[in-house]
Amino acid sequence: MGMTLPITGYENFDHLVAALVETWPQHAKFMRRNISERSETDLRFSEFLSTIILSIARSKQGGLTTLIDDYRFLCERIVMPEELHFRRTGGYRLNSFEEAYRLVYSDSVFMTKYMNGLLFSDVIWVNHCRSMMNYTSSYLAGLSSGSRMLEIGPGHGLLLHLATLQEKVGHLTAWDISDASLVLASSTLEILGSRKKVEFERRNIFSDDVMSSSFADKFDGIVLSEVLEHLEDPLRALKVLHHLTRPGGTVWINVPSNSPAPDHLYLVEEAADVERLLEYAGFEIRDSVTYPTTGATVESAKMNKLTSNCVITALKP
């Protein structure tokens, strides 16, 4: 490998990291620093996520190697070109959903590799892992018993699975505009043997029927994770969420700041950008945490425009 990695003592996490570095030795230096930043609480949750990801990997052709190859594809072929563009111009490459659909979403092979890479990143990238831990340990644990939950844009299905493990969740619904995404998320729940049934619907949150009275105040909790940055009009989306959330209900928003990708349209520079939009939409901010990328503090990430995850919980009064 060229560099000895620390052994955390968490079997599945150590296995994932070792397999990654064996396949991609150049990633060893990054992983050494990455692991050194994780607290014991981080490592316990990393092990929990690693167990889930290994279960998913066993169901895929090529197994764990496929996920690792797709993670490397994510880093080298998806993120890096956009990062170079972002450094040159200070902005994201695309401006419209139509462009993103034509270049990204309509390519099923590309999207499969993209989603697989993001799934693996949820345990490998510290900012992603800590966002998932916030969702599980803080948001889901704080819901009222019997809560009706909606996730918009479930992607690879990991957050849906985490919600099925929470006893307080009474009913789960997932909306997406992509049939492929709904199939992938549903497949993930089936692979993992998720205990709760999830109602999957192909639905656009900007369609007229969503704003009808039949959907008003329908959900106790709504999850919008790494979706807002894909939208041309994020404020309009948050106003829809306000319409859908019952009084006293909450939304959990996870948005990457300074995070170039081929389908990202809306540039968030810091958590305050999203907090303002939530307040304009009628929500009250209850909690806001920023998780910076490996090697950065919140302050240095903001100053140098490095990727962070802004995780915000907001209440509908």
Side-chain angles (χ1 to χ4, degrees):
M1 291 183 190
M3 179 178 290
T4 302
L5 290 169
I7 302 300
T8 69
Y10 290 94
E11 181 180 0
N12 290 321
F13 180 57
D14 285 341
H15 176 59
L16 283 187
V17 173
L20 169 62
V21 174
E22 182 177 0
T23 301
W24 190 8
Q26 296 84 352
H27 219 44
K29 183 177 180 180
F30 168 80
M31 288 309 306
R32 187 175 181 82
R33 185 169 189 177
N34 177 310
I35 291 170
S36 73
E37 293 183 4
R38 299 189 190 222
S39 67
E40 196 65 27
T41 300
D42 291 331
L43 288 171
R44 283 196 298 270
F45 191 74
S46 301
E47 176 71 3
F48 169 65
L49 286 185
S50 297
T51 304
I52 295 172
I53 289 171
L54 284 170
S55 295
I56 296 172
R58 285 191 285 270
S59 73
K60 293 184 180 293
Q61 186 174 2
L64 183 57
T65 299
T66 295
L67 287 187
I68 292 172
D69 288 346
D70 290 348
Y71 169 73
R72 185 169 183 175
F73 180 87
L74 169 71
C75 295
E76 295 184 329
R77 300 282 299 277
I78 297 179
V79 173
M80 185 55 68
E82 301 305 320
E83 180 71 25
L84 292 173
H85 176 84
F86 182 61
R87 293 296 156 193
R88 287 195 304 267
T89 67
Y92 294 165
R93 188 186 303 273
L94 300 187
N95 297 304
S96 72
F97 177 82
E98 286 75 17
E99 289 178 292
Y101 183 84
R102 177 172 55 85
L103 296 173
V104 180
Y105 305 135
S106 62
D107 187 336
S108 60
V109 174
F110 182 93
M111 281 298 295
T112 298
K113 295 175 77 66
Y114 196 178
M115 289 298 103
N116 282 343
L118 286 174
L119 173 66
F120 199 77
S121 78
D122 280 337
V123 68
I124 295 299
W125 292 351
V126 171
N127 46 310
H128 279 198
C129 186
R130 288 174 175 162
S131 299
M132 295 301 100
M133 185 162 58
N134 177 288
Y135 175 67
T136 304
S137 304
S138 180
Y139 184 70
L140 289 177
L143 291 173
S144 301
S145 181
S147 289
R148 293 179 61 88
M149 277 193 65
L150 167 68
E151 182 176 354
I152 298 171
H156 46 56
L158 179 59
L159 273 79
L160 275 179
H161 173 67
L162 295 174
T164 69
L165 300 177
Q166 176 53 250
E167 295 293 337
K168 293 180 179 180
V169 175
H171 185 273
L172 266 170
T173 302
W175 291 354
D176 206 298
I177 61 171
S178 166
D179 289 328
S181 175
L182 294 172
V183 169
L184 178 60
S186 177
S187 174
T188 294
L189 297 189
E190 184 176 350
I191 290 164
L192 296 173
S194 297
R195 298 194 298 255
K196 286 188 172 69
K197 181 180 178 182
V198 177
E199 185 177 339
F200 289 95
E201 298 180 19
R202 189 180 188 278
R203 193 177 297 278
N204 188 331
I205 63 168
F206 296 128
S207 61
D208 291 339
D209 64 320
V210 170
M211 291 302 290
S212 68
S213 58
S214 61
F215 283 106
D217 306 335
K218 186 171 183 177
F219 299 101
D220 300 289
I222 299 181
V223 175
L224 195 71
S225 181
E226 304 219 17
V227 172
L228 208 64
E229 69 276 12
H230 298 262
L231 305 178
E232 295 178 52
D233 191 348
L235 177 57
R236 181 184 175 197
L238 294 178
K239 287 180 177 178
V240 173
L241 265 60
H242 189 271
H243 170 76
L244 296 171
T245 307
R246 70 164 181 81
T250 56
V251 296
W252 187 83
I253 310 293
N254 176 21
V255 186
S257 60
N258 301 306
S259 177
D263 52 343
H264 288 185
L265 307 178
Y266 174 63
L267 174 59
V268 172
E269 295 185 338
E270 58 178 318
D273 297 343
V274 183
E275 292 170 21
R276 282 191 291 271
L277 291 181
L278 281 161
E279 289 171 343
Y280 291 152
F283 289 101
E284 293 180 357
I285 307 302
R286 283 301 170 95
D287 186 55
S288 181
V289 187
T290 297
Y291 300 109
T293 189
T294 294
T297 64
V298 173
E299 293 75 18
S300 68
K302 180 180 175 181
M303 179 183 300
N304 297 301
K305 295 188 178 297
L306 303 176
T307 298
S308 298
N309 278 74
C310 306
V311 176
I312 303 163
T313 301
L315 171 80
K316 177 177 177 178

